[in-house]
Amino acid sequence: MKMSKFTKITLVSVAALIIILAAAFTAIGIASYKPTVVFYNINEKTQKAILSEIQSMPVGRKGKNLKYNVTVLDSALPLSAQKKAFKGDLLFATMDYDVQDAAKSGKIKKMDINLLEGMPTTTRNNALIKNNKLCALPVLYDFYEIDVNQQAFNDSKIGKIADWNDFMSFLNKTAAKDFYPLAFSGGEPEELLNFIGCLTEALSGESALKTAEDKLYQAFKTQKENVLITALEELCKEDGALFKAVSAMRNIDTEKLCSNSSFSFTKDDTKFFIDNKLCNSVFLKLSDHRNISTKVINEYTSIYVPGNDDNGGRSFLAPTICAMPLKNNKSTNSTLKLLASSRQTSLSMKSTLAPAQASCGTPDKQADDVRFWLAASNGPVIPLSGAVPSAHMRKAAAEYIVNLIRF
């Protein structure tokens, strides 16, 4: 049956209209599309810094700035246990053992290894790589440090803090009745575990720390608290990887170099002690250091946790904030390239953390020192709490260690 000329024209017109409408809806969809950025175990200040940075980046041929939907995951649970974790476009997470496993899996899109160009050799050597592809891009470093009151140090006349024995001498010389020189947030399981981790690396070396972390993570994966405690019992025995660290903390407690309350302190309690000159040294993360007033913190000097001369090169505990693509598209790839290179200075300034790049601007001496210390060491390592990535299990581990130290 032959179609009339009118019918042909009508059909062509309808088809053209459908194509035009489809193109229009596609254009509207593209214009209104908002990618999703996912944050895991990253503090609010750093989240805002990262979001501000990526939303200011020109993306695509027209150089438009994208607006993002934001998903903030529960840091009390492991990344792999959260259904929303892998449904966005770009994931930013503080590296721990569970995140590391996820990054090696098919849930994260692998990246060009050339994104590591411009980063120190230690960063490149410690990068998470599989089949010559990058699994997680380091963009910022936090850092566990000790802050020492400069006036108290000068008055002590010990001259230097070159190793752990020097630090203990400083604490002993400055202790007095009702004055406990050292403060730390021992009531927060993550911080207590990481203090023990820092001491393990400092006094027993990186291999001991890695041994402890591997055993704890294997115990954690069983999700059985009794298995975790059994692992800790082995690690804290005289020949165990954590023994020297636990013994050092027991000495601090026995010699009354810290307040008994330090084992129940929150970060706010520790800050109160610093603000009111109730201590002269404090165990802090760089990001917590930033929450202390400039007037007060300027009286302190930041040092890395001093170790022993006989344990080889250092490998500092530095929480590493990494970027991981969940979708492989032009906008995500462009964002990652900028985060790895020209945006490092701006990101470091906004977050006040240390940049991953070897040479770029930093907010101040503290961030620059962190970058130097990491570059001059064997590289950053995952903090001890990263081997136990859930609030419930961390609490159980911290309580066991505190009881061992105090009782």
Side-chain angles (χ1 to χ4, degrees), residues 6 40 45 70 86 109 141 157 169 206 222 224 245 261 278 283 297 309 311 320 328 376 400:
F6 175 77
Y40 175 68
K45 178 181 178 180
V70 177
F86 307 101
K109 304 301 180 185
Y141 290 110
K157 300 190 183 331
S169 293
E206 181 187 4
T222 69
K224 295 179 180 178
S261 300
L278 298 174
F283 176 72
I297 205 64
D309 292 335
N311 75 351
T320 305
N328 190 1
Y400 175 83

Side-chain angles (χ1 to χ4, degrees), residues 30 51 90 123 145 152 175 183 207 217 227 350 363-364 377 394:
I30 291 170
L51 189 59
L90 190 57
T123 296
E145 63 190 33
S207 61
Y217 185 53
V227 175
K350 288 176 181 177
D364 55 19
S377 72
R394 281 177 181 168

Side-chain angles (χ1 to χ4, degrees), residues 258-304:
C258 69
S259 164
N260 292 341
S261 300
S262 281
F263 292 96
S264 59
F265 274 4
T266 65
K267 291 179 182 180
D268 285 341
D269 296 323
T270 301
K271 183 176 180 296
F272 178 85
F273 258 55
I274 300 169
D275 288 344
N276 292 278
K277 302 184 186 299
L278 298 174
C279 62
N280 58 36
S281 54
V282 61
F283 176 72
L284 285 176
K285 249 188 328 194
L286 175 62
S287 54
D288 297 321
H289 171 126
R290 302 302 191 191
N291 294 327
I292 300 165
S293 72
T294 303
K295 181 181 177 182
V296 172
I297 205 64
N298 280 348
E299 297 176 4
Y300 285 76
T301 296
S302 302
I303 63 172
Y304 53 77

Side-chain angles (χ1 to χ4, degrees), residues 4-182:
S4 69
K5 188 174 181 182
F6 175 77
T7 303
K8 287 181 181 179
I9 292 170
T10 302
L11 288 174
V12 170
S13 299
V14 169
L17 181 60
I18 290 171
I19 292 170
I20 290 167
L21 287 172
F25 282 123
T26 300
I28 290 169
I30 291 170
S32 62
Y33 172 68
K34 286 175 70 175
T36 298
V37 60
V38 182
F39 291 111
Y40 175 68
N41 199 18
I42 295 174
N43 67 45
E44 187 176 354
K45 178 181 178 180
T46 308
Q47 288 177 30
K48 288 180 178 178
I50 292 171
L51 189 59
S52 170
E53 196 61 37
I54 63 176
Q55 288 188 151
S56 71
M57 293 178 179
V59 174
R61 285 179 298 175
K62 294 185 178 180
K64 287 187 175 180
N65 296 342
L66 294 178
K67 295 295 181 185
Y68 285 79
N69 291 314
V70 177
T71 299
V72 180
L73 302 176
D74 186 350
S75 61
L77 300 173
L79 178 72
S80 59
Q82 303 187 63
K83 291 181 179 179
K84 296 186 291 184
F86 307 101
K87 292 185 176 180
D89 294 76
L90 190 57
L91 169 67
F92 290 90
T94 299
M95 183 60 68
D96 63 30
Y97 274 65
D98 184 65
V99 172
Q100 189 170 260
D101 281 354
K104 290 178 182 176
S105 74
K107 295 176 181 178
I108 306 293
K109 304 301 180 185
K110 302 300 184 284
M111 293 166 277
D112 189 338
I113 202 168
N114 290 329
L115 287 173
L116 294 173
E117 287 181 4
M119 296 185 188
T121 302
T122 52
T123 296
R124 296 198 300 273
N125 289 346
N126 284 273
L128 199 58
I129 295 168
K130 184 179 179 181
N131 299 328
N132 206 37
K133 287 287 186 178
L134 185 63
C135 301
L137 174 68
V139 292
L140 289 169
Y141 290 110
D142 210 336
F143 190 82
Y144 279 98
E145 63 190 33
I146 290 177
D147 286 73
V148 176
N149 183 277
Q150 190 63 50
Q151 187 60 55
F153 172 75
N154 293 339
D155 292 344
S156 74
K157 300 190 183 331
I158 69 165
K160 60 181 173 54
I161 298 180
D163 57 28
W164 184 252
N165 289 333
D166 289 338
F167 183 62
M168 287 295 290
S169 293
F170 168 71
L171 294 180
N172 276 293
K173 286 200 173 188
T174 58
K177 186 179 180 181
D178 297 326
F179 179 81
Y180 307 97
L182 179 64

